[in-house]
Amino acid sequence: MVSCTVHNDETTPHLAAYVVPLVERPVKTRKRSVIVGKGEDGKPIRAIKEFTDPGGVSLCAKEFLGGRQKLRDMQTDFAETVGKKYGLERGIEHSMAKHQSIRAFYGLIQRPVQNVTIKPSAIQPQLLKKGLLTSEFESDEMVAIRLTNAVQSAYAPAVAKAKLLETSQRRIRQIENTVKYADTRIDSLAKDLAKARLDAGQIAMTVAKGGDELLKLHEILKEKLIRSPENERSNDRGFSR
């Protein structure tokens, strides 16, 4: 770690850490197939040789980040260690949602909706420049642009709310996709669990069957031992006494 600083100059205090991802690599021996010559037919001859990696210290960001799964595990661990005691919940894993800024969200819902009323006088070309002999008025194209801008400005909040509704619907679809993905994972895990239980049951039956066979074998050996000639002679001598 190069430095670690807490910033209190903003509304939300935050910490900035600068880390150099130095990783110590151990000495390793690896095998490779290399060309050691050519045969009589001219084809290359290969052989397996060992090479030693001396190891040392190198830069490796993957050791800290480690791909998607390691980042998910990091977020889960952070939520359990830090967020949980403050009442914060971890986000949905494998979520398909996309980020929307707070400013954009509140900007959409706080703008009022206005009713548009176009008066007959608004359709008439307005005076642009008054002269002594002639005056300059709006052209038909300018009137159309002015009225269009007025309508768009008045209905902009309504359009924004419609976009908010669209955003909410998109959010719902994203959650549905996340749930479907989770259901697929659950089904897959359930099948694996059922297979594991079936395998465990078969193993238990095999062990039980083997135990029964061992008991039977033990009884047979015991019976043979009792009926052996030495035991019979011993019993006869004992009876003669």
Side-chain angles (χ1 to χ4, degrees):
M1 180 177 291
V2 178
S3 69
C4 182
T5 309
V6 177
H7 295 179
N8 293 310
D9 57 340
E10 297 181 8
T11 304
T12 303
H14 57 280
L15 180 145
Y18 295 90
V19 180
V20 179
L22 294 177
V23 178
E24 186 174 353
R25 295 182 290 105
V27 178
K28 291 183 179 180
T29 301
R30 53 193 178 91
K31 296 181 179 180
R32 289 182 57 187
S33 174
V34 296
I35 298 175
V36 295
K38 291 186 178 181
E40 295 179 356
D41 55 356
K43 293 183 178 180
I45 300 174
R46 287 186 170 273
I48 303 298
K49 288 192 174 183
E50 290 188 352
F51 295 87
T52 301
D53 186 354
V57 179
S58 62
L59 293 172
C60 183
K62 186 178 180 181
E63 185 71 19
F64 289 86
L65 301 180
R68 294 183 177 181
Q69 186 57 47
K70 194 167 184 178
L71 289 174
R72 290 193 192 103
D73 295 340
M74 188 185 302
Q75 291 185 13
T76 301
D77 180 70
F78 184 83
E80 288 292 328
T81 307
V82 181
K84 194 172 184 179
K85 60 183 178 181
Y86 294 106
L88 301 176
E89 296 182 359
R90 192 208 185 287
I92 301 174
E93 290 194 50
H94 306 286
S95 174
M96 306 298 178
K98 294 183 179 179
H99 177 71
Q100 182 183 27
S101 67
I102 297 177
R103 178 179 297 179
F105 176 77
Y106 284 107
L108 288 173
I109 64 176
Q110 289 181 352
R111 294 181 61 183
V113 179
Q114 300 176 359
N115 294 324
V116 179
T117 302
I118 299 178
K119 298 180 180 180
S121 58
I123 303 176
Q124 301 298 324
Q126 295 184 358
L127 178 64
L128 297 177
K129 185 178 180 181
K130 186 176 182 180
L132 294 175
L133 300 177
T134 59
S135 298
E136 184 179 351
F137 291 89
E138 290 179 323
S139 63
D140 293 341
E141 183 179 354
M142 295 173 68
V143 172
I145 293 174
R146 174 168 55 81
L147 295 177
T148 300
N149 291 337
V151 172
Q152 289 179 347
S153 177
Y155 282 110
V159 174
K161 289 185 181 297
K163 290 182 178 179
L164 177 60
L165 176 60
E166 181 183 357
T167 302
S168 300
Q169 292 174 344
R170 184 170 65 250
R171 172 66 174 166
I172 292 173
R173 289 194 297 269
Q174 291 170 347
I175 294 175
E176 289 176 347
N177 292 335
T178 303
V179 171
K180 288 180 181 178
Y181 178 82
D183 289 341
T184 303
R185 290 284 299 161
I186 290 173
D187 291 341
S188 177
L189 292 174
K191 291 179 181 178
D192 293 341
L193 179 59
K195 185 177 182 301
R197 286 177 175 173
L198 179 61
D199 293 341
Q202 292 176 347
I203 293 173
M205 291 176 61
T206 303
V207 172
K209 184 178 179 181
D212 293 340
E213 292 178 353
L214 286 175
L215 288 175
K216 291 179 181 179
L217 180 61
H218 178 266
E219 293 296 331
I220 293 172
L221 292 175
K222 183 178 179 181
E223 185 177 354
K224 287 185 176 181
L225 182 61
I226 293 174
R227 294 181 179 180
S228 64
E230 293 182 359
N231 286 337
E232 290 181 356
R233 287 195 296 271
S234 176
N235 292 334
D236 292 341
R237 287 196 298 271
F239 180 76
S240 62
R241 292 174 188 168

